[in-house]
Amino acid sequence: MNKILKSIYMPILAVIIAIIIGSIIMLVTGFNPLAAYASLFIGAFGTLPNIANTLANAVPLIITGLGVAIAFNAGLFNIGAEGQYWIGAIVATWIGYSFKGLPWYIHIPFALIGAMVAAGLWGGIVPGFAKAYTGAHEVITTMMMSYVAIYFSHYLLEFGPMMEKGSVPQSPLIKDSAIIPTILRNTQLSYGIFIAIAAALFVYWLMYKTVWGYEMRAVGFNQRASKYAGMNVPLNIVLSLSLSGIFAGLAGAVQILGVQHRLYDSFTSGYGYTAIVVALLAKNNPIGVVFSALLFAALGTGSQYMQLNAQVPGQLADVITGLIIFFVAADKIIEVLKSMFKKQKKEELAS
Amino acid sequence: MKRLRVVLSLVLAFVLTLSLLSGCTSKTKQQSSQPNSTGQASKNKNFKVGLVTDVGGINDHSFNQLAYQGIEKAKNELGVTVNFIQSKQQTDYVTNLTQFAQQKYNLVIAVGYLMKDAVEQVSKEFPDTKFLIIDSDITDRPNVASATFKTEQCGYLVGVMAGLMEKEKNAKLNDQNVVGVIGGMQIPPVDSYIAGFQQGVKAVNPDTKVLVSYTGNFNDPASGKQMALTQISQGADIVFGVAGQAGDGVINAAKEKNIYAIGVDADQNYMAPDTVMTSALKKVDTATFDTIKSVLDNNFKSGLVYFDLANDGVGYAKPIKDVPQSIVDKVDEYAKQIKDGTIKVSDQVQK
């Protein structure tokens, strides 16, 4: 109980400190912090459409964050989620527009599973086997595979086989039967949110309630001990990196089918990178990932609204969100501050 | 612990007081600066224009910045109320456009072809709001205008200037009679510049060799520089970069090798004052200003709206003093002939 209280209390304290420092920065630069924070909050949670957009922005972060958290739990630093996301998005888009006449209940799962398999292989086969059997560091391999995926998608879209006829480097629109419908009009919230929540529950069950999850976590704690205990370490490495890729790919697919409906060029989504911070902030707990993804999504939608209604420039809005993230993530700083106060108190008592 | 709370609450109280104070002062300032408005002025003041930039932001030295200058001009000269949001990612487009439309903005401006899908979607939901999209081709909505620029015309003029300069003698020019043009991607908005440039050079100097190459991206200055250096090694002494930020590399290469460069979209002379002899201008600022004015005067035209030499939508920047007045006069002569239709410029690149 005490532990749970502490885990909630620390992030809230961190947010308060970040808000105070942010206020000082805004005062110095001539903005009204009250108005800014009010519009940040209203932008994220103030109206039903705003809540919906916050949830919609959280969806890809939740799913990609889950993928990254699985690898982290197994002690593997998968920083290639961005590329796995792109592989998922490419495959989902391709299945989405090239198969005609399928009913939605086949087309959507087909696209989702296709994307998951492709991204799982992308993350699992090369980095997974390379790590398990040759010891090649997964930071290097996943990162490099990520570049391959991103540039491959540029090739496909810029006069490659996936480019739509016309002038703009983008894929054709996916068929209606592949579109995950929107829940609320004029927002981007699709039923993909339920996929995200189901994914979080599944990962929680997998990591904490099954032997597989236990073995993956055990390998993460101590590879040699796990091996001594009779676990198949290489298998667990390949498995966790594959699962990591599967979820990043699912995120790409859900985003294409639910929000974008086609693949655009000249963008890295950034979800794969933000997901690393999301997972770290949640201490790799699948349920925590949901909440930390929501925090990031709320800061994202809120800061756009802050630009519009409090006239705070986009860059300053980024500074404020950066501060909040910094203090939430660096909770050690708060503990140090606390212990400093405690020490002083003791000295006062002693004197 | 108690001490911490006291300190925190004191800091909070202090910040809140300060922010309240700053809120008051800024409000009074605003009121005092407002003149007593007449009927027309207050009507214009109630006319609201919203600008949604793409991820480049308003300091991108290109489209977004020019569009922003256009709305700033409208604010100063017409007295309309303007506001803008910088999108952070592609999924922000719909949200940001909707945000403006919901707040009853009269005109919402979207910068760039990447927002086409978003504008199509949002304009359907808000038929009473007018939309302007730069560089796109939406024709089937009564409330959407698509600004299209005849950039082959300004490409032609800088081509004429380059062709004539090849006949000049000065330290920066060799006698090989070669000029080069470097495109970003092989897409119509780029190719129209290149086609105009080819025709312009040939019109005044049929023997000049025009080298054409593409970087394949818009954001990597290193690749632009590499391409430019290759062309320079083949004898080019005037290079024209049509490649967004990759074009910055073209200008750098020209500066390094002490030859001339031609800027694109905006006047890029400030990047290398002795090197950039002129720039082919795509006046997004004129387009946004004119459209704001047309909506204000109830003259809004939906569908494709062309901007060319005749309505000052394209042009060339004031050349540096290395370009003799006789050449500038000649270029203006050609401009006149394009305006009155004597010269027709094609937008197809000659291979």
Side-chain angles (χ1 to χ4, degrees), chain B residues 200-244:
Chain B
V201 173
K202 296 283 173 197
V204 293
N205 199 344
D207 298 332
T208 307
K209 193 170 171 198
V210 183
L211 305 170
V212 179
S213 40
Y214 297 90
T215 57
N217 70 71
F218 288 108
N219 50 25
D220 179 14
S223 65
K225 187 170 180 182
Q226 197 52 50
M227 289 276 176
L229 289 174
T230 309
Q231 291 190 343
I232 293 167
S233 71
Q234 291 168 4
D237 48 11
I238 299 176
V239 285
F240 178 29
V242 192

Side-chain angles (χ1 to χ4, degrees), chain A residues 1-15:
Chain A
M1 194 58 212
N2 208 0
K3 208 177 146 196
I4 295 173
L5 258 180
K6 199 187 161 199
S7 70
I8 296 171
Y9 158 82
M10 293 298 285
I12 290 176
L13 193 65
V15 170

Side-chain angles (χ1 to χ4, degrees), chain A residues 16-208:
Chain A
I16 292 173
I17 293 182
I19 285 176
I20 292 171
I21 294 182
S23 304
I24 293 167
I25 292 176
M26 277 193 270
L27 283 173
V28 169
T29 46
F31 294 97
N32 182 348
L34 272 187
Y37 285 121
S39 60
L40 182 71
F41 186 78
I42 294 169
F45 300 111
T47 64
L48 195 57
N50 291 356
I51 294 172
N53 282 328
T54 300
L55 290 176
N57 278 345
V59 169
L61 291 178
I62 292 173
I63 308 178
T64 320
L66 288 171
V68 175
I70 293 172
F72 283 2
N73 265 320
L76 296 164
F77 208 71
N78 173 20
I79 55 170
E82 179 75 20
Q84 292 146 12
Y85 172 96
W86 274 96
I87 291 296
I90 290 168
V91 171
T93 310
W94 182 75
I95 294 175
Y97 73 74
S98 40
F99 292 87
K100 288 181 200 114
L102 296 178
W104 67 266
Y105 50 84
I106 294 179
H107 206 167
I108 292 175
F110 180 29
L112 293 180
I113 291 167
M116 286 160 78
V117 169
L121 292 175
W122 194 266
I125 294 295
V126 179
F129 278 95
K131 171 81 182 181
Y133 292 103
T134 71
H137 205 289
E138 76 280 0
V139 168
I140 308 289
T141 52
T142 55
M143 192 71 199
M144 291 304 122
M145 290 297 278
S146 185
Y147 281 124
V148 173
I150 293 166
Y151 284 105
F152 182 59
S153 75
H154 288 332
Y155 153 73
L156 289 174
L157 293 169
E158 289 167 19
F159 304 95
M162 276 179 80
M163 185 177 163
E164 187 184 37
K165 279 204 168 62
S167 59
V168 176
Q170 62 187 19
S171 80
L173 275 175
I174 59 172
K175 302 277 178 256
D176 284 346
S177 56
I179 289 177
I180 301 177
T182 306
I183 297 176
L184 197 64
R185 238 172 107 87
N186 287 338
T187 70
Q188 313 217 51
L189 183 61
S190 74
Y191 286 94
I193 184 79
F194 295 113
I195 297 178
I197 291 167
L201 294 174
F202 173 79
V203 173
Y204 179 79
W205 172 78
L206 180 76
M207 296 311 285
Y208 294 98

Side-chain angles (χ1 to χ4, degrees), chain A residues 9 23 53 158-159 167-168 185-186 188 255 262 264 267 303-305 307-308 318 341 345 348, chain B residues 1 3-4 11 15 83 85-86 88 90-91 95-96 99-100 113-114 117 125 185-188 216:
Chain A
Y9 158 82
S23 304
N53 282 328
E158 289 167 19
F159 304 95
S167 59
V168 176
R185 238 172 107 87
N186 287 338
Q188 313 217 51
Q255 192 69 0
R262 71 162 100 218
Y264 297 94
F267 269 86
S303 72
Q304 297 272 308
Y305 196 82
Q307 282 187 46
L308 174 57
D318 283 348
F341 274 112
K345 219 180 198 171
E348 273 168 28
Chain B
M1 205 47 230
R3 194 195 166 99
L4 178 71
V11 172
V15 167
N83 207 342
I85 314 184
Q86 303 187 29
K88 271 194 220 141
Q90 205 146 10
T91 48
T95 318
N96 289 343
Q99 209 61 269
F100 276 130
Y113 66 81
L114 285 167
D117 286 352
E125 300 287 342
M185 285 188 233
Q186 215 172 339
I187 56 176

Side-chain angles (χ1 to χ4, degrees), chain A residues 168-344:
Chain A
V168 176
Q170 62 187 19
S171 80
L173 275 175
I174 59 172
K175 302 277 178 256
D176 284 346
S177 56
I179 289 177
I180 301 177
T182 306
I183 297 176
L184 197 64
R185 238 172 107 87
N186 287 338
T187 70
Q188 313 217 51
L189 183 61
S190 74
Y191 286 94
I193 184 79
F194 295 113
I195 297 178
I197 291 167
L201 294 174
F202 173 79
V203 173
Y204 179 79
W205 172 78
L206 180 76
M207 296 311 285
Y208 294 98
K209 306 283 172 199
T210 66
V211 178
W212 288 11
Y214 178 80
E215 284 199 2
M216 275 189 261
R217 284 186 295 132
V219 169
F221 275 124
N222 190 332
Q223 279 194 14
R224 283 185 194 159
S226 317
K227 197 176 170 190
Y228 187 70
M231 294 175 192
N232 187 341
V233 173
L235 178 78
N236 275 299
I237 288 174
V238 175
L239 191 66
S240 54
L241 277 175
S242 299
L243 274 170
S244 193
I246 283 174
F247 280 95
L250 177 67
V254 169
Q255 192 69 0
I256 292 291
L257 304 188
V259 179
Q260 285 182 227
H261 303 156
R262 71 162 100 218
L263 200 59
Y264 297 94
D265 183 42
S266 74
F267 269 86
T268 59
S269 72
Y271 294 129
Y273 305 122
T274 314
I276 295 171
V277 194
V278 166
L280 286 175
L281 190 54
K283 305 222 158 61
N284 301 327
N285 180 315
I287 305 302
V289 164
V290 175
F291 290 99
S292 75
L294 273 173
L295 171 72
F296 278 85
L299 290 173
T301 44
S303 72
Q304 297 272 308
Y305 196 82
M306 187 154 112
Q307 282 187 46
L308 174 57
N309 290 331
Q311 320 297 331
V312 179
Q315 285 78 0
L316 192 55
D318 283 348
V319 170
I320 306 301
T321 54
L323 274 173
I324 294 179
I325 293 164
F326 177 82
F327 278 102
V328 173
D331 52 3
K332 284 277 182 297
I333 292 179
I334 296 170
E335 275 171 27
V336 170
L337 282 176
K338 252 169 63 182
S339 66
M340 266 167 58
F341 274 112
K342 267 189 195 143
K343 223 190 233 163
Q344 274 189 353

Side-chain angles (χ1 to χ4, degrees), chain B residues 153-343:
Chain B
Q153 297 184 343
C154 54
Y156 189 95
L157 295 183
V158 296
V160 167
M161 196 182 292
L164 292 171
M165 283 297 281
E166 284 297 303
K167 295 178 178 172
E168 293 289 311
K169 291 263 177 293
N170 79 29
K172 291 192 178 186
L173 297 167
N174 60 34
D175 48 10
Q176 296 190 45
N177 206 10
V178 180
V179 297
V181 48
I182 290 142
M185 285 188 233
Q186 215 172 339
I187 56 176
V190 170
D191 274 351
S192 59
Y193 271 119
I194 297 176
F197 186 75
Q198 288 176 321
Q199 295 162 67
V201 173
K202 296 283 173 197
V204 293
N205 199 344
D207 298 332
T208 307
K209 193 170 171 198
V210 183
L211 305 170
V212 179
S213 40
Y214 297 90
T215 57
N217 70 71
F218 288 108
N219 50 25
D220 179 14
S223 65
K225 187 170 180 182
Q226 197 52 50
M227 289 276 176
L229 289 174
T230 309
Q231 291 190 343
I232 293 167
S233 71
Q234 291 168 4
D237 48 11
I238 299 176
V239 285
F240 178 29
V242 192
Q245 284 170 8
D248 295 2
V250 175
I251 292 173
N252 273 336
K255 190 178 172 188
E256 207 176 287
K257 294 286 173 187
N258 198 30
I259 61 154
Y260 290 114
I262 298 174
V264 77
D265 292 340
D267 187 348
Q268 295 182 317
N269 179 263
Y270 68 93
M271 290 173 62
D274 296 327
T275 304
V276 180
M277 64 178 210
T278 183
S279 301
L281 302 180
K282 173 169 174 172
K283 298 186 181 169
V284 177
D285 47 345
T286 310
T288 50
F289 181 81
D290 288 359
T291 311
I292 292 170
K293 206 162 176 321
S294 77
V295 181
L296 204 56
D297 302 341
N298 288 322
N299 273 333
F300 178 78
K301 266 199 298 216
S302 67
L304 295 180
V305 182
Y306 289 103
F307 290 90
D308 55 12
L309 279 177
N311 63 10
D312 201 30
V314 300
Y316 67 94
K318 191 174 176 298
I320 57 175
K321 61 177 190 315
D322 289 14
V323 182
Q325 187 58 38
S326 60
I327 290 183
V328 179
D329 292 342
K330 204 82 182 261
V331 172
D332 285 337
E333 232 167 79
Y334 277 95
K336 228 173 110 195
Q337 289 181 35
I338 293 173
K339 273 189 214 171
D340 62 25
T342 325
I343 298 176

